[in-house]
């Protein structure tokens, strides 16, 4: 856990461009944006991926989704729309094993399904 990149971003050990923070959630601009607006939203508690969500820790996901409307408002995409993406594991391309949700707005390349 000490080696977790996003834990280090949350505790300020690694700098990030903060968009939003409350006691449960931290959101910051992605270092390699894949859309005109691209923010990463993480719970402050370390959960490796969607595979590790349980009845005991799933409030972390609710905390993220509770923050999303406010984050979208800050980013100015509430009305124009945005996509939320969570990659879990190798085949989905997850590279950082601290669960996170990408919020992407602007030209997000149409529908994905
Ligand atoms: P994943 O590929 O695991 O779904 O998403 C990880 C995301 O974290 C990637 O979009 C990547 O660009 C972003 N990322 C990786 N390292 C850093 C960093 O040091 N700072 C920031 N702001 N984003 C990072
Ligand atoms: Zn972590």
């Amino acid at each position: 856990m000490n080696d977790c990149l996003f834990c280090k971003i949350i505790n300020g050990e690694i700098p990030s461009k903060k968009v939003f923070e409350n006691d449960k959630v931290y959101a910051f601009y992605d270092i390699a944006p894949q859309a005109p607006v691209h923010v990463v939203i993480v719970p402050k508690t370390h959960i490796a991926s969607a595979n590790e969500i349980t009845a005991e820790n799933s409030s972390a996901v609710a905390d993220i989704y509770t923050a999303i409307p406010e984050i979208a408002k800050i980013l100015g995409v509430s009305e124009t729309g945005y996509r939320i993406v969570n990659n879990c594991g190798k085949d989905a391309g997850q590279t950082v094993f601290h669960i996170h949700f990408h919020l992407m707005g602007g030209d997000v390349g149409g529908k994905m399904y």
Side-chain angles (χ1 to χ4, degrees):
M1 199 182 295
N2 290 338
D3 259 0
C4 172
L5 176 70
F6 287 170
C7 282
K8 287 179 179 169
I9 283 180
I10 292 160
N11 71 27
E13 232 178 295
I14 291 175
S16 65
K17 211 173 152 197
K18 180 166 87 173
V19 172
F20 172 90
E21 181 174 18
N22 65 19
D23 56 334
K24 307 273 191 210
V25 171
Y26 189 78
F28 54 99
Y29 284 100
D30 196 292
I31 204 167
Q34 302 299 307
V37 173
H38 187 172
V39 163
V40 177
I41 312 169
V42 296
K44 288 189 172 176
T45 53
H46 182 91
I47 300 168
S49 78
N51 272 340
E52 279 70 44
I53 296 292
T54 64
E56 285 68 43
N57 68 18
S58 62
S59 63
V61 178
D63 293 333
I64 298 267
Y65 271 85
T66 301
I68 280 172
E70 198 173 336
I71 296 168
K73 207 169 177 183
I74 291 165
L75 295 168
V77 297
S78 298
E79 303 306 320
T80 47
Y82 52 91
R83 174 170 291 140
I84 305 294
V85 173
N86 167 245
N87 296 318
C88 179
K90 177 173 66 67
D91 284 357
Q94 184 178 4
T95 57
V96 180
F97 282 79
H98 179 127
I99 194 169
H100 53 280
F101 295 78
H102 300 263
L103 188 161
M104 288 173 285
D107 181 0
V108 294
K111 287 184 94 169
M112 286 179 71
Y113 64 93

